[in-house]
Amino acid sequence: MNLKLTTVAALACAALTAGVLGGGGTALAAGTPSASPAPASNGVEKLSGPNVVLAAMKALKDGRSAHVNGRIDDGVNLVTFDLSMDVGGNCNGSVSESFLGNFQVAKAGNDLWVKPDQAFWQKHGGQAVAQLVGNRYLKTTADNVQFLELASICDLNALADSMSPTGVNLTTGAQGVSNGVPAVSVLGTKGAEHGTLWVATQGRPYPLDFHRTGGVGSETLGFRDFSVPVKTATPAPSQSIDLNQLTQIFGSSQSPAATT
């Protein structure tokens, strides 16, 4: 099922594949020290740019789960996503694409649920499909080749690996505070692209904030809620319809897989 969700997934993965290519990352100036002793630094600020990124990749995997939100503009489409995910490939959240609409996504093990909004069905599925599906999820599996890329963005391990510093010119930059956490910046360049990744300097060196500008479009990613388990609740049978059933009802030429 194209559903343009493959486009969404590809763009989301592209943002992370760019590593630390994010431009104009904003960090607040460090606040006034409190009276209590400051937590010890994890030492990541002393590392070279590539090693800071490698440390962030490892921390992301070791944390087992995280919440990632992003805004990706490729110059034509605007994609946003807000997903909790873990190293087991489970996820829960939403994805939005400017020309298609909004999608609720849930993945548990090999099972995958996707719920397009009504605007999507009206444009791409037709009134009959929209009425049949209603407010329910489409249920399929991660083995469905038309959903492979969507399923892949739920994998925190794959996301961490996609941040590899290979092929990017990286230098360790200034220290500051990102998302309320003491952090160090890593500055990256690749061709016309310029970016900044902020990495925590206390506790595990988690990636916190990522921005890219230059080249085509721009990307912004934010990471939070590390080690918070992904919600295990999935849509009940009454809240979903099997994609194979929908295909059988409308035929392959009229199924969502064929009309999107």
Side-chain angles (χ1 to χ4, degrees), residues 158-220:
L159 186 155
D161 287 339
S162 71
M163 295 173 64
S164 170
T166 302
V168 184
N169 182 24
L170 301 169
T171 57
T172 304
Q175 296 184 54
V177 176
S178 178
N179 296 330
V181 178
V184 63
S185 61
V186 178
L187 310 178
T189 59
K190 183 177 183 180
E193 297 178 324
H194 301 274
T196 304
L197 174 71
W198 288 90
V199 177
T201 55
Q202 293 179 0
R204 282 179 173 158
Y206 288 121
L208 301 172
D209 192 58
F210 164 94
H211 295 272
R212 180 193 66 79
T213 58
V216 177
S218 62
E219 296 152 13
T220 299

Short mmCIF file of all heavy atoms in Angstrom, two decimals, residues 158-220:
data_model
loop_
_atom_site.label_atom_id
_atom_site.label_comp_id
_atom_site.label_asym_id
_atom_site.label_seq_id
_atom_site.Cartn_x
_atom_site.Cartn_y
_atom_site.Cartn_z
N ALA A 158 17.47 1.00 14.36
CA ALA A 158 17.72 1.46 13.00
C ALA A 158 17.86 2.98 12.95
O ALA A 158 18.70 3.52 12.22
CB ALA A 158 16.59 1.00 12.08
N LEU A 159 17.05 3.65 13.73
CA LEU A 159 17.13 5.11 13.78
C LEU A 159 18.49 5.55 14.30
O LEU A 159 19.13 6.44 13.73
CB LEU A 159 16.01 5.65 14.67
CG LEU A 159 15.82 7.17 14.75
CD1 LEU A 159 14.39 7.50 15.12
CD2 LEU A 159 16.76 7.80 15.76
N ALA A 160 18.97 4.91 15.36
CA ALA A 160 20.28 5.25 15.91
C ALA A 160 21.37 4.99 14.89
O ALA A 160 22.28 5.81 14.70
CB ALA A 160 20.53 4.46 17.19
N ASP A 161 21.30 3.85 14.20
CA ASP A 161 22.32 3.53 13.20
C ASP A 161 22.33 4.54 12.06
O ASP A 161 23.38 4.83 11.48
CB ASP A 161 22.07 2.13 12.63
CG ASP A 161 22.43 1.02 13.62
OD1 ASP A 161 23.21 1.29 14.55
OD2 ASP A 161 21.90 -0.10 13.45
N SER A 162 21.16 5.08 11.74
CA SER A 162 21.07 6.03 10.63
C SER A 162 21.73 7.36 10.95
O SER A 162 21.91 8.20 10.07
CB SER A 162 19.60 6.26 10.25
OG SER A 162 18.93 7.01 11.24
N MET A 163 22.10 7.57 12.22
CA MET A 163 22.78 8.81 12.61
C MET A 163 24.29 8.72 12.43
O MET A 163 25.03 9.60 12.87
CB MET A 163 22.46 9.13 14.07
CG MET A 163 21.00 9.43 14.33
SD MET A 163 20.64 9.60 16.09
CE MET A 163 21.62 11.04 16.50
N SER A 164 24.76 7.68 11.78
CA SER A 164 26.20 7.47 11.60
C SER A 164 26.88 8.73 11.07
O SER A 164 26.39 9.39 10.15
CB SER A 164 26.44 6.31 10.63
OG SER A 164 27.80 6.25 10.27
N PRO A 165 28.04 9.09 11.64
CA PRO A 165 28.74 10.30 11.21
C PRO A 165 29.53 10.14 9.91
O PRO A 165 30.15 11.09 9.44
CB PRO A 165 29.70 10.56 12.39
CG PRO A 165 29.96 9.21 12.96
CD PRO A 165 28.67 8.46 12.81
N THR A 166 29.50 8.96 9.32
CA THR A 166 30.26 8.71 8.10
C THR A 166 29.87 9.69 6.98
O THR A 166 28.69 9.88 6.70
CB THR A 166 30.03 7.27 7.60
OG1 THR A 166 30.41 6.35 8.63
CG2 THR A 166 30.85 6.99 6.35
N GLY A 167 30.87 10.30 6.37
CA GLY A 167 30.63 11.18 5.24
C GLY A 167 30.24 12.60 5.60
O GLY A 167 29.94 13.41 4.71
N VAL A 168 30.23 12.93 6.88
CA VAL A 168 29.86 14.28 7.32
C VAL A 168 31.06 14.91 8.03
O VAL A 168 31.74 14.26 8.83
CB VAL A 168 28.66 14.24 8.29
CG1 VAL A 168 28.22 15.66 8.66
CG2 VAL A 168 27.51 13.46 7.67
N ASN A 169 31.35 16.17 7.73
CA ASN A 169 32.43 16.91 8.41
C ASN A 169 31.88 17.42 9.74
O ASN A 169 31.00 18.28 9.77
CB ASN A 169 32.90 18.06 7.54
CG ASN A 169 34.04 18.83 8.18
OD1 ASN A 169 34.77 18.30 9.02
ND2 ASN A 169 34.19 20.09 7.80
N LEU A 170 32.41 16.91 10.85
CA LEU A 170 31.85 17.19 12.17
C LEU A 170 32.89 17.80 13.09
O LEU A 170 34.04 17.37 13.13
CB LEU A 170 31.32 15.90 12.80
CG LEU A 170 30.24 15.15 12.04
CD1 LEU A 170 30.03 13.77 12.65
CD2 LEU A 170 28.95 15.94 12.05
N THR A 171 32.45 18.79 13.86
CA THR A 171 33.31 19.38 14.89
C THR A 171 32.49 19.61 16.15
O THR A 171 31.28 19.89 16.09
CB THR A 171 33.90 20.73 14.43
OG1 THR A 171 32.83 21.62 14.10
CG2 THR A 171 34.81 20.55 13.23
N THR A 172 33.13 19.46 17.30
CA THR A 172 32.47 19.74 18.57
C THR A 172 32.37 21.24 18.75
O THR A 172 33.35 21.96 18.56
CB THR A 172 33.25 19.12 19.74
OG1 THR A 172 33.41 17.73 19.50
CG2 THR A 172 32.52 19.33 21.05
N GLY A 173 31.16 21.73 19.11
CA GLY A 173 30.94 23.17 19.23
C GLY A 173 30.76 23.62 20.67
O GLY A 173 31.30 23.03 21.61
N ALA A 174 29.95 24.66 20.82
CA ALA A 174 29.73 25.28 22.13
C ALA A 174 28.85 24.42 23.02
O ALA A 174 28.13 23.53 22.57
CB ALA A 174 29.10 26.65 21.94
N GLN A 175 28.90 24.72 24.33
CA GLN A 175 28.02 24.08 25.29
C GLN A 175 26.88 25.04 25.64
O GLN A 175 27.01 26.25 25.54
CB GLN A 175 28.78 23.70 26.56
CG GLN A 175 29.87 22.67 26.33
CD GLN A 175 30.54 22.25 27.62
OE1 GLN A 175 29.88 21.83 28.57
NE2 GLN A 175 31.86 22.36 27.65
N GLY A 176 25.76 24.48 26.03
CA GLY A 176 24.60 25.28 26.40
C GLY A 176 23.57 24.40 27.06
O GLY A 176 23.90 23.41 27.71
N VAL A 177 22.31 24.73 26.87
CA VAL A 177 21.20 23.95 27.41
C VAL A 177 20.21 23.70 26.28
O VAL A 177 19.79 24.63 25.59
CB VAL A 177 20.50 24.69 28.57
CG1 VAL A 177 19.29 23.90 29.06
CG2 VAL A 177 21.48 24.93 29.71
N SER A 178 19.87 22.46 26.05
CA SER A 178 18.90 22.08 25.02
C SER A 178 17.77 21.31 25.67
O SER A 178 18.00 20.33 26.38
CB SER A 178 19.59 21.23 23.95
OG SER A 178 18.67 20.81 22.97
N ASN A 179 16.55 21.78 25.46
CA ASN A 179 15.39 21.13 26.07
C ASN A 179 15.53 20.99 27.58
O ASN A 179 15.12 20.00 28.18
CB ASN A 179 15.14 19.75 25.44
CG ASN A 179 14.79 19.83 23.97
OD1 ASN A 179 14.21 20.81 23.51
ND2 ASN A 179 15.16 18.82 23.21
N GLY A 180 16.16 22.01 28.20
CA GLY A 180 16.32 22.02 29.64
C GLY A 180 17.45 21.16 30.17
O GLY A 180 17.59 21.01 31.38
N VAL A 181 18.25 20.60 29.27
CA VAL A 181 19.33 19.68 29.67
C VAL A 181 20.68 20.26 29.25
O VAL A 181 20.83 20.70 28.11
CB VAL A 181 19.13 18.30 29.00
CG1 VAL A 181 20.27 17.35 29.38
CG2 VAL A 181 17.78 17.70 29.39
N PRO A 182 21.68 20.29 30.15
CA PRO A 182 23.01 20.72 29.75
C PRO A 182 23.50 19.89 28.56
O PRO A 182 23.37 18.66 28.57
CB PRO A 182 23.87 20.49 30.99
CG PRO A 182 22.89 20.57 32.13
CD PRO A 182 21.62 19.96 31.59
N ALA A 183 24.05 20.55 27.56
CA ALA A 183 24.37 19.83 26.34
C ALA A 183 25.56 20.47 25.63
O ALA A 183 25.94 21.62 25.90
CB ALA A 183 23.15 19.82 25.40
N VAL A 184 26.12 19.70 24.71
CA VAL A 184 27.18 20.21 23.83
C VAL A 184 26.69 20.08 22.40
O VAL A 184 25.95 19.14 22.06
CB VAL A 184 28.50 19.42 24.03
CG1 VAL A 184 28.34 17.96 23.65
CG2 VAL A 184 29.64 20.06 23.25
N SER A 185 27.08 21.02 21.56
CA SER A 185 26.66 20.98 20.17
C SER A 185 27.72 20.30 19.30
O SER A 185 28.92 20.35 19.59
CB SER A 185 26.42 22.40 19.65
OG SER A 185 27.61 23.18 19.72
N VAL A 186 27.26 19.65 18.26
CA VAL A 186 28.13 19.12 17.22
C VAL A 186 27.71 19.79 15.92
O VAL A 186 26.53 19.76 15.55
CB VAL A 186 28.01 17.59 17.09
CG1 VAL A 186 28.91 17.08 15.97
CG2 VAL A 186 28.36 16.91 18.40
N LEU A 187 28.66 20.43 15.26
CA LEU A 187 28.38 21.16 14.03
C LEU A 187 28.76 20.29 12.85
O LEU A 187 29.86 19.73 12.80
CB LEU A 187 29.16 22.47 14.01
CG LEU A 187 29.05 23.33 15.27
CD1 LEU A 187 29.90 24.58 15.14
CD2 LEU A 187 27.60 23.70 15.55
N GLY A 188 27.86 20.18 11.89
CA GLY A 188 28.10 19.32 10.74
C GLY A 188 27.90 20.05 9.43
O GLY A 188 27.04 20.92 9.30
N THR A 189 28.71 19.70 8.46
CA THR A 189 28.56 20.21 7.10
C THR A 189 28.68 19.06 6.11
O THR A 189 29.48 18.14 6.30
CB THR A 189 29.61 21.29 6.75
OG1 THR A 189 30.91 20.73 6.89
CG2 THR A 189 29.48 22.50 7.67
N LYS A 190 27.88 19.13 5.08
CA LYS A 190 27.95 18.16 3.99
C LYS A 190 27.45 18.86 2.75
O LYS A 190 26.26 19.08 2.58
CB LYS A 190 27.09 16.93 4.31
CG LYS A 190 27.18 15.84 3.25
CD LYS A 190 26.36 14.64 3.66
CE LYS A 190 26.49 13.51 2.64
NZ LYS A 190 25.68 12.32 3.03
N GLY A 191 28.38 19.27 1.90
CA GLY A 191 28.00 20.07 0.75
C GLY A 191 27.41 21.39 1.20
O GLY A 191 28.00 22.11 2.01
N ALA A 192 26.22 21.71 0.70
CA ALA A 192 25.56 22.97 1.05
C ALA A 192 24.78 22.87 2.35
O ALA A 192 24.24 23.88 2.82
CB ALA A 192 24.62 23.39 -0.08
N GLU A 193 24.72 21.70 2.94
CA GLU A 193 23.93 21.51 4.16
C GLU A 193 24.76 21.83 5.39
O GLU A 193 25.94 21.53 5.46
CB GLU A 193 23.42 20.08 4.23
CG GLU A 193 22.48 19.72 3.09
CD GLU A 193 22.05 18.27 3.17
OE1 GLU A 193 22.86 17.42 3.56
OE2 GLU A 193 20.88 18.00 2.82
N HIS A 194 24.09 22.45 6.35
CA HIS A 194 24.74 22.80 7.62
C HIS A 194 23.80 22.39 8.74
O HIS A 194 22.59 22.56 8.65
CB HIS A 194 25.01 24.31 7.70
CG HIS A 194 25.88 24.81 6.60
ND1 HIS A 194 27.25 24.79 6.64
CD2 HIS A 194 25.56 25.33 5.39
CE1 HIS A 194 27.75 25.28 5.53
NE2 HIS A 194 26.73 25.61 4.74
N GLY A 195 24.37 21.85 9.81
CA GLY A 195 23.49 21.40 10.86
C GLY A 195 24.12 21.39 12.24
O GLY A 195 25.32 21.58 12.40
N THR A 196 23.25 21.19 13.20
CA THR A 196 23.67 21.14 14.60
C THR A 196 22.91 20.04 15.33
O THR A 196 21.69 19.93 15.19
CB THR A 196 23.40 22.48 15.31
OG1 THR A 196 24.05 23.53 14.62
CG2 THR A 196 23.91 22.43 16.75
N LEU A 197 23.65 19.23 16.05
CA LEU A 197 23.06 18.24 16.94
C LEU A 197 23.49 18.57 18.36
O LEU A 197 24.67 18.78 18.62
CB LEU A 197 23.54 16.84 16.57
CG LEU A 197 23.11 15.71 17.52
CD1 LEU A 197 21.61 15.44 17.37
CD2 LEU A 197 23.90 14.44 17.25
N TRP A 198 22.52 18.63 19.29
CA TRP A 198 22.82 18.86 20.71
C TRP A 198 22.76 17.54 21.45
O TRP A 198 21.80 16.77 21.30
CB TRP A 198 21.84 19.86 21.31
CG TRP A 198 22.09 21.25 20.82
CD1 TRP A 198 21.54 21.84 19.71
CD2 TRP A 198 22.97 22.22 21.38
NE1 TRP A 198 22.02 23.12 19.56
CE2 TRP A 198 22.91 23.38 20.57
CE3 TRP A 198 23.80 22.22 22.49
CZ2 TRP A 198 23.64 24.53 20.84
CZ3 TRP A 198 24.54 23.36 22.77
CH2 TRP A 198 24.45 24.50 21.94
N VAL A 199 23.80 17.26 22.25
CA VAL A 199 23.92 16.00 22.96
C VAL A 199 24.09 16.28 24.45
O VAL A 199 24.87 17.16 24.85
CB VAL A 199 25.13 15.19 22.43
CG1 VAL A 199 25.31 13.90 23.22
CG2 VAL A 199 24.96 14.89 20.94
N ALA A 200 23.37 15.53 25.29
CA ALA A 200 23.40 15.75 26.74
C ALA A 200 24.80 15.52 27.30
O ALA A 200 25.49 14.56 26.94
CB ALA A 200 22.41 14.81 27.42
N THR A 201 25.22 16.41 28.20
CA THR A 201 26.53 16.28 28.84
C THR A 201 26.42 15.77 30.28
O THR A 201 27.42 15.68 30.98
CB THR A 201 27.27 17.64 28.85
OG1 THR A 201 26.44 18.63 29.47
CG2 THR A 201 27.61 18.08 27.44
N GLN A 202 25.22 15.45 30.71
CA GLN A 202 25.01 14.83 32.02
C GLN A 202 24.19 13.56 31.84
O GLN A 202 23.31 13.50 30.99
CB GLN A 202 24.29 15.79 32.98
CG GLN A 202 25.13 17.00 33.36
CD GLN A 202 24.40 17.95 34.29
OE1 GLN A 202 23.25 17.71 34.65
NE2 GLN A 202 25.06 19.03 34.66
N GLY A 203 24.48 12.55 32.66
CA GLY A 203 23.81 11.27 32.49
C GLY A 203 24.26 10.63 31.19
O GLY A 203 25.38 10.83 30.72
N ARG A 204 23.39 9.86 30.58
CA ARG A 204 23.73 9.30 29.28
C ARG A 204 23.78 10.41 28.24
O ARG A 204 22.96 11.34 28.27
CB ARG A 204 22.69 8.26 28.88
CG ARG A 204 22.84 6.92 29.58
CD ARG A 204 21.75 5.95 29.15
NE ARG A 204 21.98 4.62 29.69
CZ ARG A 204 21.03 3.70 29.84
NH1 ARG A 204 19.79 3.98 29.50
NH2 ARG A 204 21.32 2.51 30.33
N PRO A 205 24.71 10.32 27.29
CA PRO A 205 24.83 11.38 26.27
C PRO A 205 23.77 11.22 25.17
O PRO A 205 24.08 10.97 23.99
CB PRO A 205 26.25 11.17 25.73
CG PRO A 205 26.50 9.71 25.91
CD PRO A 205 25.80 9.33 27.20
N TYR A 206 22.52 11.40 25.56
CA TYR A 206 21.43 11.26 24.60
C TYR A 206 21.45 12.38 23.56
O TYR A 206 21.78 13.52 23.89
CB TYR A 206 20.09 11.31 25.31
CG TYR A 206 19.74 10.10 26.14
CD1 TYR A 206 19.49 10.22 27.50
CD2 TYR A 206 19.64 8.84 25.56
CE1 TYR A 206 19.14 9.11 28.27
CE2 TYR A 206 19.29 7.72 26.32
CZ TYR A 206 19.06 7.87 27.67
OH TYR A 206 18.72 6.78 28.42
N PRO A 207 21.04 12.09 22.32
CA PRO A 207 20.77 13.18 21.38
C PRO A 207 19.51 13.91 21.82
O PRO A 207 18.53 13.27 22.23
CB PRO A 207 20.56 12.44 20.05
CG PRO A 207 20.05 11.09 20.46
CD PRO A 207 20.73 10.77 21.75
N LEU A 208 19.53 15.23 21.77
CA LEU A 208 18.40 16.01 22.29
C LEU A 208 17.67 16.81 21.22
O LEU A 208 16.44 16.88 21.22
CB LEU A 208 18.89 16.98 23.38
CG LEU A 208 19.57 16.35 24.60
CD1 LEU A 208 20.17 17.44 25.47
CD2 LEU A 208 18.58 15.50 25.38
N ASP A 209 18.44 17.40 20.32
CA ASP A 209 17.83 18.34 19.38
C ASP A 209 18.68 18.36 18.11
O ASP A 209 19.91 18.37 18.17
CB ASP A 209 17.80 19.74 20.01
CG ASP A 209 16.93 20.70 19.24
OD1 ASP A 209 15.75 20.42 19.06
OD2 ASP A 209 17.46 21.74 18.80
N PHE A 210 18.02 18.37 16.98
CA PHE A 210 18.69 18.24 15.69
C PHE A 210 18.05 19.21 14.70
O PHE A 210 16.83 19.29 14.61
CB PHE A 210 18.53 16.79 15.24
CG PHE A 210 18.82 16.51 13.78
CD1 PHE A 210 20.07 16.08 13.38
CD2 PHE A 210 17.83 16.62 12.82
CE1 PHE A 210 20.33 15.80 12.04
CE2 PHE A 210 18.07 16.34 11.50
CZ PHE A 210 19.33 15.92 11.10
N HIS A 211 18.88 19.97 13.99
CA HIS A 211 18.36 20.90 12.97
C HIS A 211 19.25 20.85 11.73
O HIS A 211 20.47 20.72 11.85
CB HIS A 211 18.33 22.33 13.48
CG HIS A 211 17.39 22.56 14.62
ND1 HIS A 211 16.05 22.88 14.46
CD2 HIS A 211 17.60 22.50 15.96
CE1 HIS A 211 15.49 23.01 15.66
NE2 HIS A 211 16.41 22.78 16.57
N ARG A 212 18.63 20.98 10.58
CA ARG A 212 19.38 21.09 9.34
C ARG A 212 18.77 22.16 8.45
O ARG A 212 17.55 22.26 8.32
CB ARG A 212 19.40 19.78 8.56
CG ARG A 212 20.20 19.89 7.25
CD ARG A 212 19.97 18.72 6.32
NE ARG A 212 18.60 18.64 5.82
CZ ARG A 212 18.13 19.39 4.82
NH1 ARG A 212 18.90 20.29 4.23
NH2 ARG A 212 16.87 19.26 4.43
N THR A 213 19.62 22.95 7.81
CA THR A 213 19.21 23.88 6.79
C THR A 213 20.22 23.82 5.66
O THR A 213 21.28 23.20 5.78
CB THR A 213 19.13 25.33 7.31
OG1 THR A 213 20.42 25.70 7.83
CG2 THR A 213 18.07 25.47 8.39
N GLY A 214 19.92 24.51 4.57
CA GLY A 214 20.81 24.47 3.42
C GLY A 214 20.46 23.29 2.54
O GLY A 214 19.75 22.36 2.94
N GLY A 215 20.95 23.32 1.31
CA GLY A 215 20.57 22.26 0.39
C GLY A 215 19.09 22.39 0.07
O GLY A 215 18.59 23.49 -0.17
N VAL A 216 18.38 21.29 0.06
CA VAL A 216 16.95 21.29 -0.23
C VAL A 216 16.16 21.13 1.06
O VAL A 216 16.33 20.15 1.77
CB VAL A 216 16.59 20.16 -1.21
CG1 VAL A 216 15.08 20.13 -1.47
CG2 VAL A 216 17.36 20.30 -2.52
N GLY A 217 15.29 22.09 1.35
CA GLY A 217 14.42 21.97 2.50
C GLY A 217 15.14 22.11 3.83
O GLY A 217 16.26 22.61 3.92
N SER A 218 14.48 21.63 4.87
CA SER A 218 15.03 21.71 6.22
C SER A 218 14.45 20.58 7.06
O SER A 218 13.43 19.98 6.72
CB SER A 218 14.67 23.07 6.86
OG SER A 218 13.26 23.20 6.97
N GLU A 219 15.11 20.30 8.17
CA GLU A 219 14.69 19.24 9.07
C GLU A 219 14.89 19.66 10.52
O GLU A 219 15.87 20.33 10.85
CB GLU A 219 15.49 17.96 8.81
CG GLU A 219 15.26 17.37 7.43
CD GLU A 219 16.46 16.59 6.92
OE1 GLU A 219 17.35 16.31 7.73
OE2 GLU A 219 16.51 16.28 5.72
N THR A 220 13.96 19.28 11.36
CA THR A 220 14.07 19.50 12.79
C THR A 220 13.61 18.24 13.50
O THR A 220 12.56 17.69 13.17
CB THR A 220 13.19 20.68 13.24
OG1 THR A 220 13.61 21.88 12.58
CG2 THR A 220 13.29 20.89 14.75
#
